[in-house]
Amino acid sequence: MSGQRVDVKVVMLGKEYVGKTSLVERYVHDRFLVGPYQNTIGAAFVAKVMSVGDRTVTLGIWDTAGSERYEAMSRIYYRGAKAAIVCYDLTDSSSFERAKFWVKELRNLEEGCQIYLCGTKSDLLEEDRRRRRVDFHDVQDYADNIKAQLFETSSKTGQSVDELFQKVAEDYVSVAAFQRTRAWTWARRQTPTSTAAVITESPLTWPGGGFPQGVWT
Ligand SMILES: Nc1nc2c(ncn2[C@@H]2O[C@H](COP(=O)(O)OP(=O)(O)OP(=O)(O)O)[C@@H](O)[C@H]2O)c(=O)[nH]1
């Protein structure tokens, strides 16, 4: 993987113990580690190559430490991120409050970053529905408000994990295509009599507050 170009910088954010590392482990290695919980220190990086249609997309995933002790460090890792997976534990309401904190930060400081809310450990609800502490509809309303996507996942069973990361990559491809078309149209307007226009592709920026109309799938 060394020297490979990363197309999309993705940052994992959320309170400690919500399951960020487990989510990345399930997605990248298709495994769920059992054993004593080990908190992340600082951050960990992993890259994953995937396909969207006939395109290859490389996600560069930064798994940050959830402990508030490392909060300042997490800020370093979300800088320049095109996508943030903001996690909360479906069985822990305080973790959702913490998720909102990260959303606020991203909205203020990293407005080009697309947000994906991820409720984790859904298998625990399969075992006992009464364990749910974060209401799906409340989060959906919140997600609509902030123009975020919402997923509920289980790293233990794998439920919706691939779908989440696939959506991140698909959105990247959609936005890239949209921006190419926009750049092409702009270049043609500048050179109406020319038969050819030279287009310099600008670095991909995701419009603040969500995607342009029409590119959502
Ligand atoms: N049942 C269940 N347990 C999970 C799931 N995901 C994570 N866990 C457990 O929750 C605990 C915390 O998981 P981690 O992935 O280490 O959490 P984290 O958010 O990376 O934690 P920090 O590194 O401290 O920020 C571990 O004991 C995991 O086994 C899940 O989907 N289902």
Side-chain angles (χ1 to χ4, degrees):
M1 184 57 60
S2 67
Q4 178 140 10
R5 194 179 90 114
V6 166
D7 296 305
V8 193
K9 177 179 176 181
V10 184
V11 64
M12 311 291 298
L13 292 167
K15 188 183 170 185
E16 65 189 329
Y17 202 73
V18 294
K20 300 177 293 298
T21 303
S22 303
L23 207 52
V24 175
E25 277 291 320
R26 170 58 77 188
Y27 178 59
V28 175
H29 302 295
D30 196 21
R31 66 185 176 198
F32 180 68
L33 300 175
V34 282
Y37 156 64
Q38 280 195 312
N39 64 321
T40 306
I41 296 167
F45 176 80
V46 65
K48 167 100 173 171
V49 182
M50 57 194 301
S51 299
V52 177
D54 56 2
R55 273 204 63 171
T56 298
V57 175
T58 304
L59 301 185
I61 306 169
W62 284 99
D63 174 21
T64 67
S67 164
E68 291 190 27
R69 253 184 309 160
Y70 299 113
E71 190 176 298
M73 276 178 101
S74 297
R75 292 198 174 97
I76 296 168
Y77 294 109
Y78 71 57
R79 235 165 257 158
K82 297 286 176 250
I85 298 179
V86 181
C87 301
Y88 59 95
D89 179 340
L90 291 163
T91 68
D92 172 10
S93 56
S94 72
S95 70
F96 185 57
E97 294 309 311
R98 188 74 183 149
K100 287 189 197 161
F101 163 86
W102 284 119
V103 167
K104 213 182 247 177
E105 283 244 341
L106 291 165
R107 280 282 164 264
N108 288 335
L109 300 171
E110 209 60 56
E111 60 173 32
C113 180
Q114 180 60 34
I115 295 173
Y116 300 79
L117 289 171
C118 178
T120 59
K121 310 186 187 179
S122 62
D123 58 285
L124 297 176
L125 308 181
E126 298 294 313
E127 287 167 18
D128 181 357
R129 301 216 158 270
R130 288 168 303 181
R131 291 194 66 179
R132 182 184 277 275
R133 290 286 175 274
V134 187
D135 182 71
F136 176 80
H137 299 288
D138 288 349
V139 184
Q140 186 63 70
D141 288 346
Y142 174 70
D144 291 345
N145 252 326
I146 61 166
K147 295 189 174 66
Q149 302 268 328
L150 170 60
F151 290 81
E152 290 192 347
T153 61
S154 166
S155 302
K156 191 173 181 183
T157 64
Q159 190 205 329
S160 298
V161 175
D162 284 353
E163 288 84 340
L164 166 63
F165 287 95
Q166 187 69 30
K167 184 74 177 117
V168 171
E170 284 172 6
D171 287 345
Y172 163 77
V173 170
S174 297
V175 172
F178 173 83
Q179 293 205 333
R180 262 196 307 278
T181 307
R182 201 172 55 174
W184 189 80
T185 308
W186 180 86
R188 281 202 49 168
R189 283 204 191 114
Q190 302 309 305
T191 54
T193 53
S194 150
T195 49
V198 177
I199 299 169
T200 310
E201 221 175 291
S202 57
L204 182 64
T205 51
W206 300 42
F211 293 103
Q213 291 295 313
V215 297
W216 289 104
T217 52

mmCIF file with all atom_site columns, all heavy atoms in Angstrom, residues 154-178:
data_model
loop_
_atom_site.group_PDB
_atom_site.id
_atom_site.type_symbol
_atom_site.label_atom_id
_atom_site.label_alt_id
_atom_site.label_comp_id
_atom_site.label_asym_id
_atom_site.label_entity_id
_atom_site.label_seq_id
_atom_site.pdbx_PDB_ins_code
_atom_site.Cartn_x
_atom_site.Cartn_y
_atom_site.Cartn_z
_atom_site.occupancy
_atom_site.B_iso_or_equiv
_atom_site.pdbx_formal_charge
_atom_site.auth_seq_id
_atom_site.auth_comp_id
_atom_site.auth_asym_id
_atom_site.auth_atom_id
_atom_site.pdbx_PDB_model_num
ATOM 1   N N   . SER A 1 154 ? -23.490 -3.266  12.939  1.00 0.00 ? 154 SER A N   1
ATOM 2   C CA  . SER A 1 154 ? -22.907 -4.160  13.949  1.00 0.00 ? 154 SER A CA  1
ATOM 3   C C   . SER A 1 154 ? -21.588 -4.686  13.397  1.00 0.00 ? 154 SER A C   1
ATOM 4   O O   . SER A 1 154 ? -21.566 -5.330  12.347  1.00 0.00 ? 154 SER A O   1
ATOM 5   C CB  . SER A 1 154 ? -23.833 -5.345  14.241  1.00 0.00 ? 154 SER A CB  1
ATOM 6   O OG  . SER A 1 154 ? -23.094 -6.325  14.963  1.00 0.00 ? 154 SER A OG  1
ATOM 7   N N   . SER A 1 155 ? -20.521 -4.431  14.118  1.00 0.00 ? 155 SER A N   1
ATOM 8   C CA  . SER A 1 155 ? -19.228 -4.976  13.691  1.00 0.00 ? 155 SER A CA  1
ATOM 9   C C   . SER A 1 155 ? -19.156 -6.447  14.063  1.00 0.00 ? 155 SER A C   1
ATOM 10  O O   . SER A 1 155 ? -18.363 -7.198  13.494  1.00 0.00 ? 155 SER A O   1
ATOM 11  C CB  . SER A 1 155 ? -18.084 -4.213  14.360  1.00 0.00 ? 155 SER A CB  1
ATOM 12  O OG  . SER A 1 155 ? -18.174 -2.862  14.028  1.00 0.00 ? 155 SER A OG  1
ATOM 13  N N   . LYS A 1 156 ? -19.977 -6.842  15.006  1.00 0.00 ? 156 LYS A N   1
ATOM 14  C CA  . LYS A 1 156 ? -19.976 -8.252  15.414  1.00 0.00 ? 156 LYS A CA  1
ATOM 15  C C   . LYS A 1 156 ? -20.563 -9.138  14.316  1.00 0.00 ? 156 LYS A C   1
ATOM 16  O O   . LYS A 1 156 ? -19.974 -10.149 13.936  1.00 0.00 ? 156 LYS A O   1
ATOM 17  C CB  . LYS A 1 156 ? -20.767 -8.416  16.716  1.00 0.00 ? 156 LYS A CB  1
ATOM 18  C CG  . LYS A 1 156 ? -20.625 -9.759  17.359  1.00 0.00 ? 156 LYS A CG  1
ATOM 19  C CD  . LYS A 1 156 ? -21.283 -9.771  18.713  1.00 0.00 ? 156 LYS A CD  1
ATOM 20  C CE  . LYS A 1 156 ? -21.108 -11.135 19.365  1.00 0.00 ? 156 LYS A CE  1
ATOM 21  N NZ  . LYS A 1 156 ? -21.801 -11.184 20.659  1.00 0.00 ? 156 LYS A NZ  1
ATOM 22  N N   . THR A 1 157 ? -21.699 -8.729  13.782  1.00 0.00 ? 157 THR A N   1
ATOM 23  C CA  . THR A 1 157 ? -22.341 -9.544  12.742  1.00 0.00 ? 157 THR A CA  1
ATOM 24  C C   . THR A 1 157 ? -21.986 -9.049  11.327  1.00 0.00 ? 157 THR A C   1
ATOM 25  O O   . THR A 1 157 ? -22.220 -9.760  10.355  1.00 0.00 ? 157 THR A O   1
ATOM 26  C CB  . THR A 1 157 ? -23.877 -9.482  12.881  1.00 0.00 ? 157 THR A CB  1
ATOM 27  O OG1 . THR A 1 157 ? -24.297 -8.122  12.635  1.00 0.00 ? 157 THR A OG1 1
ATOM 28  C CG2 . THR A 1 157 ? -24.343 -9.915  14.261  1.00 0.00 ? 157 THR A CG2 1
ATOM 29  N N   . GLY A 1 158 ? -21.487 -7.827  11.250  1.00 0.00 ? 158 GLY A N   1
ATOM 30  C CA  . GLY A 1 158 ? -21.166 -7.249  9.929   1.00 0.00 ? 158 GLY A CA  1
ATOM 31  C C   . GLY A 1 158 ? -22.312 -6.442  9.351   1.00 0.00 ? 158 GLY A C   1
ATOM 32  O O   . GLY A 1 158 ? -22.172 -5.843  8.269   1.00 0.00 ? 158 GLY A O   1
ATOM 33  N N   . GLN A 1 159 ? -23.422 -6.375  10.062  1.00 0.00 ? 159 GLN A N   1
ATOM 34  C CA  . GLN A 1 159 ? -24.606 -5.707  9.512   1.00 0.00 ? 159 GLN A CA  1
ATOM 35  C C   . GLN A 1 159 ? -24.320 -4.257  9.083   1.00 0.00 ? 159 GLN A C   1
ATOM 36  O O   . GLN A 1 159 ? -23.839 -3.454  9.896   1.00 0.00 ? 159 GLN A O   1
ATOM 37  C CB  . GLN A 1 159 ? -25.742 -5.710  10.548  1.00 0.00 ? 159 GLN A CB  1
ATOM 38  C CG  . GLN A 1 159 ? -27.074 -5.246  9.963   1.00 0.00 ? 159 GLN A CG  1
ATOM 39  C CD  . GLN A 1 159 ? -28.002 -4.677  11.027  1.00 0.00 ? 159 GLN A CD  1
ATOM 40  O OE1 . GLN A 1 159 ? -27.961 -5.094  12.181  1.00 0.00 ? 159 GLN A OE1 1
ATOM 41  N NE2 . GLN A 1 159 ? -28.830 -3.732  10.640  1.00 0.00 ? 159 GLN A NE2 1
ATOM 42  N N   . SER A 1 160 ? -24.585 -3.975  7.808   1.00 0.00 ? 160 SER A N   1
ATOM 43  C CA  . SER A 1 160 ? -24.504 -2.624  7.206   1.00 0.00 ? 160 SER A CA  1
ATOM 44  C C   . SER A 1 160 ? -23.109 -1.989  7.206   1.00 0.00 ? 160 SER A C   1
ATOM 45  O O   . SER A 1 160 ? -22.976 -0.811  6.884   1.00 0.00 ? 160 SER A O   1
ATOM 46  C CB  . SER A 1 160 ? -25.484 -1.653  7.889   1.00 0.00 ? 160 SER A CB  1
ATOM 47  O OG  . SER A 1 160 ? -26.792 -2.109  7.714   1.00 0.00 ? 160 SER A OG  1
ATOM 48  N N   . VAL A 1 161 ? -22.083 -2.749  7.556   1.00 0.00 ? 161 VAL A N   1
ATOM 49  C CA  . VAL A 1 161 ? -20.735 -2.155  7.597   1.00 0.00 ? 161 VAL A CA  1
ATOM 50  C C   . VAL A 1 161 ? -20.225 -1.880  6.176   1.00 0.00 ? 161 VAL A C   1
ATOM 51  O O   . VAL A 1 161 ? -19.799 -0.763  5.860   1.00 0.00 ? 161 VAL A O   1
ATOM 52  C CB  . VAL A 1 161 ? -19.748 -3.058  8.375   1.00 0.00 ? 161 VAL A CB  1
ATOM 53  C CG1 . VAL A 1 161 ? -18.328 -2.497  8.302   1.00 0.00 ? 161 VAL A CG1 1
ATOM 54  C CG2 . VAL A 1 161 ? -20.200 -3.196  9.828   1.00 0.00 ? 161 VAL A CG2 1
ATOM 55  N N   . ASP A 1 162 ? -20.284 -2.883  5.303   1.00 0.00 ? 162 ASP A N   1
ATOM 56  C CA  . ASP A 1 162 ? -19.835 -2.675  3.921   1.00 0.00 ? 162 ASP A CA  1
ATOM 57  C C   . ASP A 1 162 ? -20.653 -1.564  3.256   1.00 0.00 ? 162 ASP A C   1
ATOM 58  O O   . ASP A 1 162 ? -20.113 -0.745  2.516   1.00 0.00 ? 162 ASP A O   1
ATOM 59  C CB  . ASP A 1 162 ? -20.000 -3.956  3.090   1.00 0.00 ? 162 ASP A CB  1
ATOM 60  C CG  . ASP A 1 162 ? -18.909 -4.964  3.422   1.00 0.00 ? 162 ASP A CG  1
ATOM 61  O OD1 . ASP A 1 162 ? -17.981 -4.613  4.187   1.00 0.00 ? 162 ASP A OD1 1
ATOM 62  O OD2 . ASP A 1 162 ? -18.992 -6.103  2.933   1.00 0.00 ? 162 ASP A OD2 1
ATOM 63  N N   . GLU A 1 163 ? -21.965 -1.557  3.530   1.00 0.00 ? 163 GLU A N   1
ATOM 64  C CA  . GLU A 1 163 ? -22.852 -0.564  2.907   1.00 0.00 ? 163 GLU A CA  1
ATOM 65  C C   . GLU A 1 163 ? -22.414 0.857   3.269   1.00 0.00 ? 163 GLU A C   1
ATOM 66  O O   . GLU A 1 163 ? -22.434 1.760   2.441   1.00 0.00 ? 163 GLU A O   1
ATOM 67  C CB  . GLU A 1 163 ? -24.306 -0.767  3.358   1.00 0.00 ? 163 GLU A CB  1
ATOM 68  C CG  . GLU A 1 163 ? -24.988 -1.989  2.775   1.00 0.00 ? 163 GLU A CG  1
ATOM 69  C CD  . GLU A 1 163 ? -24.688 -3.277  3.547   1.00 0.00 ? 163 GLU A CD  1
ATOM 70  O OE1 . GLU A 1 163 ? -23.675 -3.325  4.296   1.00 0.00 ? 163 GLU A OE1 1
ATOM 71  O OE2 . GLU A 1 163 ? -25.448 -4.240  3.394   1.00 0.00 ? 163 GLU A OE2 1
ATOM 72  N N   . LEU A 1 164 ? -22.019 1.032   4.532   1.00 0.00 ? 164 LEU A N   1
ATOM 73  C CA  . LEU A 1 164 ? -21.589 2.347   4.995   1.00 0.00 ? 164 LEU A CA  1
ATOM 74  C C   . LEU A 1 164 ? -20.365 2.843   4.203   1.00 0.00 ? 164 LEU A C   1
ATOM 75  O O   . LEU A 1 164 ? -20.379 3.937   3.623   1.00 0.00 ? 164 LEU A O   1
ATOM 76  C CB  . LEU A 1 164 ? -21.254 2.265   6.495   1.00 0.00 ? 164 LEU A CB  1
ATOM 77  C CG  . LEU A 1 164 ? -20.472 3.418   7.121   1.00 0.00 ? 164 LEU A CG  1
ATOM 78  C CD1 . LEU A 1 164 ? -21.256 4.722   7.057   1.00 0.00 ? 164 LEU A CD1 1
ATOM 79  C CD2 . LEU A 1 164 ? -20.125 3.092   8.586   1.00 0.00 ? 164 LEU A CD2 1
ATOM 80  N N   . PHE A 1 165 ? -19.326 2.024   4.141   1.00 0.00 ? 165 PHE A N   1
ATOM 81  C CA  . PHE A 1 165 ? -18.107 2.463   3.462   1.00 0.00 ? 165 PHE A CA  1
ATOM 82  C C   . PHE A 1 165 ? -18.319 2.546   1.940   1.00 0.00 ? 165 PHE A C   1
ATOM 83  O O   . PHE A 1 165 ? -17.737 3.399   1.269   1.00 0.00 ? 165 PHE A O   1
ATOM 84  C CB  . PHE A 1 165 ? -16.936 1.542   3.812   1.00 0.00 ? 165 PHE A CB  1
ATOM 85  C CG  . PHE A 1 165 ? -16.445 1.748   5.230   1.00 0.00 ? 165 PHE A CG  1
ATOM 86  C CD1 . PHE A 1 165 ? -16.902 0.959   6.267   1.00 0.00 ? 165 PHE A CD1 1
ATOM 87  C CD2 . PHE A 1 165 ? -15.531 2.759   5.519   1.00 0.00 ? 165 PHE A CD2 1
ATOM 88  C CE1 . PHE A 1 165 ? -16.454 1.150   7.582   1.00 0.00 ? 165 PHE A CE1 1
ATOM 89  C CE2 . PHE A 1 165 ? -15.076 2.965   6.815   1.00 0.00 ? 165 PHE A CE2 1
ATOM 90  C CZ  . PHE A 1 165 ? -15.541 2.157   7.850   1.00 0.00 ? 165 PHE A CZ  1
ATOM 91  N N   . GLN A 1 166 ? -19.152 1.658   1.428   1.00 0.00 ? 166 GLN A N   1
ATOM 92  C CA  . GLN A 1 166 ? -19.470 1.704   -0.002  1.00 0.00 ? 166 GLN A CA  1
ATOM 93  C C   . GLN A 1 166 ? -20.139 3.038   -0.345  1.00 0.00 ? 166 GLN A C   1
ATOM 94  O O   . GLN A 1 166 ? -19.846 3.655   -1.359  1.00 0.00 ? 166 GLN A O   1
ATOM 95  C CB  . GLN A 1 166 ? -20.391 0.524   -0.360  1.00 0.00 ? 166 GLN A CB  1
ATOM 96  C CG  . GLN A 1 166 ? -20.657 0.353   -1.838  1.00 0.00 ? 166 GLN A CG  1
ATOM 97  C CD  . GLN A 1 166 ? -19.424 -0.116  -2.627  1.00 0.00 ? 166 GLN A CD  1
ATOM 98  O OE1 . GLN A 1 166 ? -18.580 -0.812  -2.075  1.00 0.00 ? 166 GLN A OE1 1
ATOM 99  N NE2 . GLN A 1 166 ? -19.313 0.285   -3.886  1.00 0.00 ? 166 GLN A NE2 1
ATOM 100 N N   . LYS A 1 167 ? -21.022 3.483   0.546   1.00 0.00 ? 167 LYS A N   1
ATOM 101 C CA  . LYS A 1 167 ? -21.736 4.751   0.310   1.00 0.00 ? 167 LYS A CA  1
ATOM 102 C C   . LYS A 1 167 ? -20.761 5.927   0.301   1.00 0.00 ? 167 LYS A C   1
ATOM 103 O O   . LYS A 1 167 ? -20.883 6.844   -0.519  1.00 0.00 ? 167 LYS A O   1
ATOM 104 C CB  . LYS A 1 167 ? -22.798 4.934   1.399   1.00 0.00 ? 167 LYS A CB  1
ATOM 105 C CG  . LYS A 1 167 ? -23.669 6.153   1.206   1.00 0.00 ? 167 LYS A CG  1
ATOM 106 C CD  . LYS A 1 167 ? -24.683 5.943   0.080   1.00 0.00 ? 167 LYS A CD  1
ATOM 107 C CE  . LYS A 1 167 ? -25.605 7.128   -0.076  1.00 0.00 ? 167 LYS A CE  1
ATOM 108 N NZ  . LYS A 1 167 ? -25.493 7.796   -1.365  1.00 0.00 ? 167 LYS A NZ  1
ATOM 109 N N   . VAL A 1 168 ? -19.778 5.869   1.207   1.00 0.00 ? 168 VAL A N   1
ATOM 110 C CA  . VAL A 1 168 ? -18.763 6.929   1.242   1.00 0.00 ? 168 VAL A CA  1
ATOM 111 C C   . VAL A 1 168 ? -18.058 7.001   -0.118  1.00 0.00 ? 168 VAL A C   1
ATOM 112 O O   . VAL A 1 168 ? -17.904 8.077   -0.709  1.00 0.00 ? 168 VAL A O   1
ATOM 113 C CB  . VAL A 1 168 ? -17.727 6.668   2.368   1.00 0.00 ? 168 VAL A CB  1
ATOM 114 C CG1 . VAL A 1 168 ? -16.550 7.642   2.267   1.00 0.00 ? 168 VAL A CG1 1
ATOM 115 C CG2 . VAL A 1 168 ? -18.385 6.764   3.746   1.00 0.00 ? 168 VAL A CG2 1
ATOM 116 N N   . ALA A 1 169 ? -17.659 5.839   -0.634  1.00 0.00 ? 169 ALA A N   1
ATOM 117 C CA  . ALA A 1 169 ? -16.933 5.801   -1.914  1.00 0.00 ? 169 ALA A CA  1
ATOM 118 C C   . ALA A 1 169 ? -17.848 6.214   -3.066  1.00 0.00 ? 169 ALA A C   1
ATOM 119 O O   . ALA A 1 169 ? -17.425 6.957   -3.970  1.00 0.00 ? 169 ALA A O   1
ATOM 120 C CB  . ALA A 1 169 ? -16.370 4.404   -2.144  1.00 0.00 ? 169 ALA A CB  1
ATOM 121 N N   . GLU A 1 170 ? -19.085 5.751   -3.053  1.00 0.00 ? 170 GLU A N   1
ATOM 122 C CA  . GLU A 1 170 ? -20.016 6.104   -4.135  1.00 0.00 ? 170 GLU A CA  1
ATOM 123 C C   . GLU A 1 170 ? -20.268 7.609   -4.159  1.00 0.00 ? 170 GLU A C   1
ATOM 124 O O   . GLU A 1 170 ? -20.320 8.227   -5.224  1.00 0.00 ? 170 GLU A O   1
ATOM 125 C CB  . GLU A 1 170 ? -21.348 5.370   -3.951  1.00 0.00 ? 170 GLU A CB  1
ATOM 126 C CG  . GLU A 1 170 ? -21.276 3.914   -4.340  1.00 0.00 ? 170 GLU A CG  1
ATOM 127 C CD  . GLU A 1 170 ? -22.544 3.154   -3.960  1.00 0.00 ? 170 GLU A CD  1
ATOM 128 O OE1 . GLU A 1 170 ? -23.519 3.774   -3.498  1.00 0.00 ? 170 GLU A OE1 1
ATOM 129 O OE2 . GLU A 1 170 ? -22.532 1.922   -4.100  1.00 0.00 ? 170 GLU A OE2 1
ATOM 130 N N   . ASP A 1 171 ? -20.439 8.194   -2.987  1.00 0.00 ? 171 ASP A N   1
ATOM 131 C CA  . ASP A 1 171 ? -20.681 9.638   -2.918  1.00 0.00 ? 171 ASP A CA  1
ATOM 132 C C   . ASP A 1 171 ? -19.478 10.394  -3.468  1.00 0.00 ? 171 ASP A C   1
ATOM 133 O O   . ASP A 1 171 ? -19.631 11.395  -4.163  1.00 0.00 ? 171 ASP A O   1
ATOM 134 C CB  . ASP A 1 171 ? -20.962 10.069  -1.473  1.00 0.00 ? 171 ASP A CB  1
ATOM 135 C CG  . ASP A 1 171 ? -22.338 9.619   -1.004  1.00 0.00 ? 171 ASP A CG  1
ATOM 136 O OD1 . ASP A 1 171 ? -23.161 9.243   -1.850  1.00 0.00 ? 171 ASP A OD1 1
ATOM 137 O OD2 . ASP A 1 171 ? -22.586 9.654   0.216   1.00 0.00 ? 171 ASP A OD2 1
ATOM 138 N N   . TYR A 1 172 ? -18.290 9.900   -3.153  1.00 0.00 ? 172 TYR A N   1
ATOM 139 C CA  . TYR A 1 172 ? -17.072 10.536  -3.676  1.00 0.00 ? 172 TYR A CA  1
ATOM 140 C C   . TYR A 1 172 ? -17.092 10.517  -5.212  1.00 0.00 ? 172 TYR A C   1
ATOM 141 O O   . TYR A 1 172 ? -16.840 11.524  -5.864  1.00 0.00 ? 172 TYR A O   1
ATOM 142 C CB  . TYR A 1 172 ? -15.828 9.814   -3.149  1.00 0.00 ? 172 TYR A CB  1
ATOM 143 C CG  . TYR A 1 172 ? -14.595 10.135  -3.954  1.00 0.00 ? 172 TYR A CG  1
ATOM 144 C CD1 . TYR A 1 172 ? -13.934 11.351  -3.796  1.00 0.00 ? 172 TYR A CD1 1
ATOM 145 C CD2 . TYR A 1 172 ? -14.109 9.230   -4.899  1.00 0.00 ? 172 TYR A CD2 1
ATOM 146 C CE1 . TYR A 1 172 ? -12.821 11.656  -4.557  1.00 0.00 ? 172 TYR A CE1 1
ATOM 147 C CE2 . TYR A 1 172 ? -12.993 9.533   -5.665  1.00 0.00 ? 172 TYR A CE2 1
ATOM 148 C CZ  . TYR A 1 172 ? -12.359 10.741  -5.489  1.00 0.00 ? 172 TYR A CZ  1
ATOM 149 O OH  . TYR A 1 172 ? -11.259 11.048  -6.247  1.00 0.00 ? 172 TYR A OH  1
ATOM 150 N N   . VAL A 1 173 ? -17.412 9.370   -5.778  1.00 0.00 ? 173 VAL A N   1
ATOM 151 C CA  . VAL A 1 173 ? -17.425 9.237   -7.238  1.00 0.00 ? 173 VAL A CA  1
ATOM 152 C C   . VAL A 1 173 ? -18.489 10.152  -7.838  1.00 0.00 ? 173 VAL A C   1
ATOM 153 O O   . VAL A 1 173 ? -18.253 10.835  -8.844  1.00 0.00 ? 173 VAL A O   1
ATOM 154 C CB  . VAL A 1 173 ? -17.650 7.760   -7.648  1.00 0.00 ? 173 VAL A CB  1
ATOM 155 C CG1 . VAL A 1 173 ? -17.916 7.628   -9.135  1.00 0.00 ? 173 VAL A CG1 1
ATOM 156 C CG2 . VAL A 1 173 ? -16.434 6.928   -7.239  1.00 0.00 ? 173 VAL A CG2 1
ATOM 157 N N   . SER A 1 174 ? -19.669 10.219  -7.206  1.00 0.00 ? 174 SER A N   1
ATOM 158 C CA  . SER A 1 174 ? -20.747 11.089  -7.713  1.00 0.00 ? 174 SER A CA  1
ATOM 159 C C   . SER A 1 174 ? -20.328 12.542  -7.699  1.00 0.00 ? 174 SER A C   1
ATOM 160 O O   . SER A 1 174 ? -20.543 13.278  -8.664  1.00 0.00 ? 174 SER A O   1
ATOM 161 C CB  . SER A 1 174 ? -22.006 10.969  -6.834  1.00 0.00 ? 174 SER A CB  1
ATOM 162 O OG  . SER A 1 174 ? -22.509 9.690   -6.880  1.00 0.00 ? 174 SER A OG  1
ATOM 163 N N   . VAL A 1 175 ? -19.736 12.965  -6.609  1.00 0.00 ? 175 VAL A N   1
ATOM 164 C CA  . VAL A 1 175 ? -19.343 14.372  -6.491  1.00 0.00 ? 175 VAL A CA  1
ATOM 165 C C   . VAL A 1 175 ? -18.219 14.692  -7.469  1.00 0.00 ? 175 VAL A C   1
ATOM 166 O O   . VAL A 1 175 ? -18.217 15.748  -8.104  1.00 0.00 ? 175 VAL A O   1
ATOM 167 C CB  . VAL A 1 175 ? -18.937 14.709  -5.039  1.00 0.00 ? 175 VAL A CB  1
ATOM 168 C CG1 . VAL A 1 175 ? -18.352 16.110  -4.946  1.00 0.00 ? 175 VAL A CG1 1
ATOM 169 C CG2 . VAL A 1 175 ? -20.152 14.613  -4.137  1.00 0.00 ? 175 VAL A CG2 1
ATOM 170 N N   . ALA A 1 176 ? -17.277 13.746  -7.620  1.00 0.00 ? 176 ALA A N   1
ATOM 171 C CA  . ALA A 1 176 ? -16.167 13.964  -8.560  1.00 0.00 ? 176 ALA A CA  1
ATOM 172 C C   . ALA A 1 176 ? -16.721 14.136  -9.977  1.00 0.00 ? 176 ALA A C   1
ATOM 173 O O   . ALA A 1 176 ? -16.295 15.030  -10.717 1.00 0.00 ? 176 ALA A O   1
ATOM 174 C CB  . ALA A 1 176 ? -15.184 12.795  -8.492  1.00 0.00 ? 176 ALA A CB  1
ATOM 175 N N   . ALA A 1 177 ? -17.696 13.306  -10.341 1.00 0.00 ? 177 ALA A N   1
ATOM 176 C CA  . ALA A 1 177 ? -18.286 13.384  -11.678 1.00 0.00 ? 177 ALA A CA  1
ATOM 177 C C   . ALA A 1 177 ? -19.017 14.717  -11.843 1.00 0.00 ? 177 ALA A C   1
ATOM 178 O O   . ALA A 1 177 ? -18.906 15.389  -12.876 1.00 0.00 ? 177 ALA A O   1
ATOM 179 C CB  . ALA A 1 177 ? -19.250 12.223  -11.891 1.00 0.00 ? 177 ALA A CB  1
ATOM 180 N N   . PHE A 1 178 ? -19.742 15.108  -10.797 1.00 0.00 ? 178 PHE A N   1
ATOM 181 C CA  . PHE A 1 178 ? -20.485 16.372  -10.832 1.00 0.00 ? 178 PHE A CA  1
ATOM 182 C C   . PHE A 1 178 ? -19.524 17.547  -11.035 1.00 0.00 ? 178 PHE A C   1
ATOM 183 O O   . PHE A 1 178 ? -19.760 18.433  -11.847 1.00 0.00 ? 178 PHE A O   1
ATOM 184 C CB  . PHE A 1 178 ? -21.257 16.551  -9.524  1.00 0.00 ? 178 PHE A CB  1
ATOM 185 C CG  . PHE A 1 178 ? -21.928 17.885  -9.390  1.00 0.00 ? 178 PHE A CG  1
ATOM 186 C CD1 . PHE A 1 178 ? -23.173 18.123  -9.968  1.00 0.00 ? 178 PHE A CD1 1
ATOM 187 C CD2 . PHE A 1 178 ? -21.322 18.912  -8.695  1.00 0.00 ? 178 PHE A CD2 1
ATOM 188 C CE1 . PHE A 1 178 ? -23.791 19.355  -9.847  1.00 0.00 ? 178 PHE A CE1 1
ATOM 189 C CE2 . PHE A 1 178 ? -21.932 20.157  -8.568  1.00 0.00 ? 178 PHE A CE2 1
ATOM 190 C CZ  . PHE A 1 178 ? -23.170 20.372  -9.142  1.00 0.00 ? 178 PHE A CZ  1
#
